Amino acid sequence: MRYACLIYYNPKTLFGGSPEAEAVLAECTTHDVKLKESGHFVMAEALELPESAMTVQVRDGKMSAVDGPFMETKEILGGIILIEARDLNEAARVASGHPLARIGSVEVRPVVDFSQPRPKL
Amino acid sequence: MSAADARDALEVAYRTEKRRVLATLLRLLGGFDAAEEALHEAFAAAADRWPREGIPANPYAWLVSTGRFKAVDRWRRQTRLANAGPELAALSAPAMEPSMPEPVQDDELRLIFICCHPALPPDARLALTLREVGGLTTEEIARAYLTRASTIAQRIVRAKARIRDEAIPYELPGRAELPMRLDSVLRVLYLIFNEGYAATEGPSLMRADLCAEAIRLGRRVVELLEEPEALGLLALMLLHEARRAARVDAAGDLVLLEEQDRSLWDRGRSTEAQELLERAFARRSVGPYVLQAAIAAVHTQARSVGETDWNQIVALYDVLGRIAASPVVALNRAVAIGMRDGPEAGLAAIEAAMTPGSLDGYPLAHAARADMQRRLGLTEAARASYHRAVELTRQPAERRFLQARLAQLPARPAGAED
């Protein structure tokens, strides 16, 4: 089964220059290799800060585009990793091995299996 | 060696060796997370190397030593970052090197005992056993127990943290501690079995799987511990399983024991159960599982309801009531008395069993009372009791069964009131 690991961190903490943050950043550069070795890797990308992003909406057939979301001091979405894992527990264990889990948080989300019925709200 | 051969061998190894490899790695590495990571890396390495280097003569040993090597390697790399951990010191000790495959089954049994450790909450024991020993995924366990996968996942994570924090040793309990710990193991196995046997909701295949898994684990326990209660539980599960095909009709409706087509019963399983029971009785110490299995065996031996030895069943319930008294045991004994001495005696015994009030919410008690009342011609009382049973029943098949019974009662005389 596939799981998306959504990595959140507070930029002020991660880029604040503390020795702990520096160690995390150094480890991040080689983390993909570890995932490839263990056979969990599908794809991984780090994201630029949200200030470089754009948000689009289409309402009544018209597109509107705005900058942002703007960076607050809160945690932002900083990267996405797609992994292959046996189940949610294995996915969580793999996610917990990401260096940013020590400084931010990693949300583990199952990728939708479209052969299954839609969720009932 | 073709790539297809290697892939087939890998699939077979994954299906048959995964649990044993995990159990051994757990003993060697001393932690669930490390063992699972090493297991995964070992299979990833096999997928890479078996097509090129050929299938190893002993896949289990290959996977264990590869997994262990990967873990040691990882610890070495990590210790360069944060100074040496005690794990590395222990693992690099030369004495560790040659001590490869110890008795394999011991590892699996040890794993069952860790997963069923009394320090863990019961629902965590169940989830952990199903995942780590039974090989089910978090999502499958959640489906079986109609819970969210994230709830099960958290339960498992917390249980593992507790095992680590309380330093629960990865070993079989000592003689003195064994009975109490075995009790917990047997209880979890029986819960797993019952979930597969009695539940009527959810995908049915999955449920048969749970029964098979409980029986497989029961066999493992018996192979290694000739304890009467372990023998008894395995016999009990086999006897229930032997009747599976006759228990539900073509429409998926429940068929009562007395109406089952006995030719559909699996004789092989009941014979095996009989042998287990004899071994248990030879140990001259009987517990609740042995007695329940003995009762099920008396039913199985009868070629028809009429030939059932109700005397022996009542006697077994008497003993069971003495060592493990419960309202349900009292109720079952009362029903057996009804079968032996007639509905009047049966009804009196059922009323007595229901007097403390603890069975008021138990649908089968009202159904049993209704059955005796029906046989005594107390139609209106039977109607009321069946109604009460229907109200309390949540399982669709049981509900349909009770409604059919209600419909079979003689019609109410015209103008009569309740």
Side-chain angles (χ1 to χ4, degrees):
Chain A
M1 285 178 266
R2 285 189 168 186
Y3 298 85
C5 303
L6 309 175
I7 296 163
Y8 292 85
Y9 60 84
N10 181 335
K12 289 193 173 157
T13 313
L14 185 62
F15 301 110
S18 75
E20 193 196 2
E22 292 302 316
V24 165
L25 283 168
E27 259 183 76
C28 280
T29 57
T30 58
H31 188 69
D32 287 5
V33 180
K34 271 178 69 180
L35 288 179
K36 279 175 191 148
E37 273 177 12
S38 67
H40 291 102
F41 184 86
V42 179
M43 74 80 142
E45 297 293 349
L47 304 179
E48 293 281 357
L49 291 176
E51 58 198 9
S52 59
M54 212 168 117
T55 302
V56 298
Q57 286 187 333
V58 176
R59 297 286 183 273
D60 300 323
K62 286 184 197 141
M63 186 185 93
S64 69
V66 291
D67 292 346
F70 291 100
M71 205 163 87
E72 299 281 336
T73 47
K74 279 181 275 182
E75 291 198 328
I76 55 145
L77 179 64
I80 47 174
I81 302 182
L82 195 61
I83 59 166
E84 179 73 43
R86 179 164 85 90
D87 64 3
L88 187 59
N89 268 100
E90 185 175 272
R93 178 177 60 71
V94 172
S96 73
H98 196 283
L100 278 163
R102 303 202 301 261
I103 215 166
S105 47
V106 183
E107 179 181 335
V108 183
R109 283 243 218 142
V111 169
V112 170
D113 172 359
F114 282 100
S115 69
Q116 297 295 311
R118 289 182 189 193
K120 275 179 257 159
L121 296 181
Chain B
M1 160 70 44
S2 76
D5 286 342
R7 205 175 43 240
D8 288 349
L10 191 64
E11 266 180 38
V12 170
Y14 192 74
R15 245 193 349 264
T16 59
E17 308 287 356
K18 183 181 59 187
R19 287 186 278 245
R20 302 195 300 150
V21 173
L22 178 71
T24 305
L25 286 171
L26 192 59
R27 168 169 59 80
L28 292 172
L29 304 175
F32 269 104
D33 286 353
E36 274 174 39
E37 208 162 335
L39 176 79
H40 207 282
E41 285 178 326
F43 275 102
D48 179 46
R49 282 169 49 191
W50 290 9
R52 289 187 280 117
E53 298 170 13
I55 300 154
N58 183 347
Y60 160 78
W62 190 96
L63 289 162
V64 168
S65 70
T66 304
R68 188 165 148 267
F69 173 78
K70 294 270 182 192
V72 173
D73 202 40
R74 194 172 47 246
W75 274 325
R76 277 209 183 102
R77 269 184 284 147
Q78 278 170 4
T79 42
R80 271 196 304 247
L81 292 161
N83 252 329
E87 301 100 336
L88 183 60
L91 275 162
S92 336
M96 284 293 291
E97 294 300 331
S99 75
M100 246 292 296
E102 263 197 19
V104 175
Q105 282 96 344
D106 270 12
D107 283 336
E108 200 178 9
L109 192 67
R110 197 175 286 132
L111 183 53
I112 299 177
F113 272 90
I114 294 161
C115 291
C116 300
H117 198 280
L120 304 174
D123 54 1
R125 286 181 223 162
L126 204 64
L128 205 56
T129 307
L130 281 171
R131 184 173 189 274
E132 307 305 331
V133 193
L136 270 66
T137 66
T138 312
E139 283 83 350
E140 284 169 332
I141 301 168
R143 232 175 292 142
Y145 290 96
L146 307 172
T147 327
R148 286 161 40 172
S150 56
T151 308
I152 298 287
Q154 282 174 46
R155 220 171 264 175
I156 290 169
V157 167
R158 283 193 206 111
K160 285 179 181 170
R162 191 142 178 187
I163 289 170
R164 197 184 52 233
D165 296 346
E166 299 192 8
I168 291 173
Y170 293 89
E171 60 191 27
L172 285 173
R175 274 250 153 251
E177 218 192 318
L178 197 59
M180 183 190 111
R181 294 280 298 277
L182 182 65
D183 193 52
S184 174
V185 168
L186 298 180
R187 199 178 305 228
V188 167
L189 296 191
Y190 199 35
L191 271 174
I192 294 172
F193 183 85
N194 275 328
E195 189 61 33
Y197 196 71
T200 51
E201 282 177 280
S204 53
L205 255 179
M206 172 72 211
R207 303 299 165 115
D209 240 42
L210 288 179
C211 287
E213 185 56 21
I215 289 175
R216 187 187 76 83
L217 296 175
R219 281 190 210 282
R220 267 270 171 282
V221 173
V222 161
E223 270 167 36
L224 290 139
L225 298 168
E226 182 88 6
E227 290 287 326
E229 280 291 86
L231 293 162
L233 175 62
L234 180 57
L236 181 59
M237 294 193 294
L238 286 167
L239 285 162
H240 282 319
E241 191 66 8
R243 296 204 292 252
R244 174 189 280 279
R247 217 171 135 252
V248 180
D249 66 13
D253 284 347
L254 217 57
V255 183
L256 275 200
L257 180 64
E258 51 195 271
E259 283 151 16
Q260 286 174 11
D261 176 356
R262 291 174 188 233
S263 68
L264 294 176
W265 289 357
D266 182 336
R267 290 287 151 197
R269 284 208 173 92
S270 41
T271 308
E272 186 188 351
Q274 193 62 47
E275 284 161 12
L276 290 163
L277 267 179
E278 279 159 22
R279 269 157 68 189
F281 277 115
R283 306 293 297 252
R284 294 178 188 287
S285 129
V286 292
Y289 290 124
V290 173
L291 288 168
Q292 288 176 74
I295 292 165
V298 175
H299 283 299
T300 310
Q301 279 154 11
R303 269 171 302 174
S304 68
V305 198
E307 283 179 41
T308 308
D309 186 347
W310 293 106
N311 240 336
Q312 203 183 342
I313 289 179
V314 172
L316 287 165
Y317 272 122
D318 284 341
V319 184
L320 185 59
R322 273 203 297 279
I323 61 169
S326 83
V328 174
V329 170
L331 175 70
N332 288 335
R333 180 180 169 276
V335 172
I337 285 177
M339 296 304 287
R340 186 187 65 179
D341 303 337
E344 202 164 337
L347 185 59
I350 289 171
E351 300 287 1
M354 290 179 79
T355 307
S358 51
L359 289 171
D360 286 352
Y362 188 57
L364 293 182
H366 296 280
R369 168 150 63 178
D371 198 46
M372 298 294 166
Q373 288 163 335
R374 175 183 60 82
R375 285 161 59 190
L376 286 168
L378 303 169
T379 309
E380 291 320 303
R383 204 185 309 276
S385 297
Y386 276 128
H387 271 300
R388 184 83 189 105
V390 171
E391 272 169 36
L392 291 166
T393 301
R394 293 219 182 82
Q395 291 183 323
E398 270 181 32
R399 188 185 284 260
R400 282 199 303 275
F401 169 82
L402 290 167
Q403 275 159 344
R405 280 282 145 120
L406 251 175
Q408 284 161 8
L409 286 177
R412 204 183 291 239
E417 298 288 326
D418 273 319

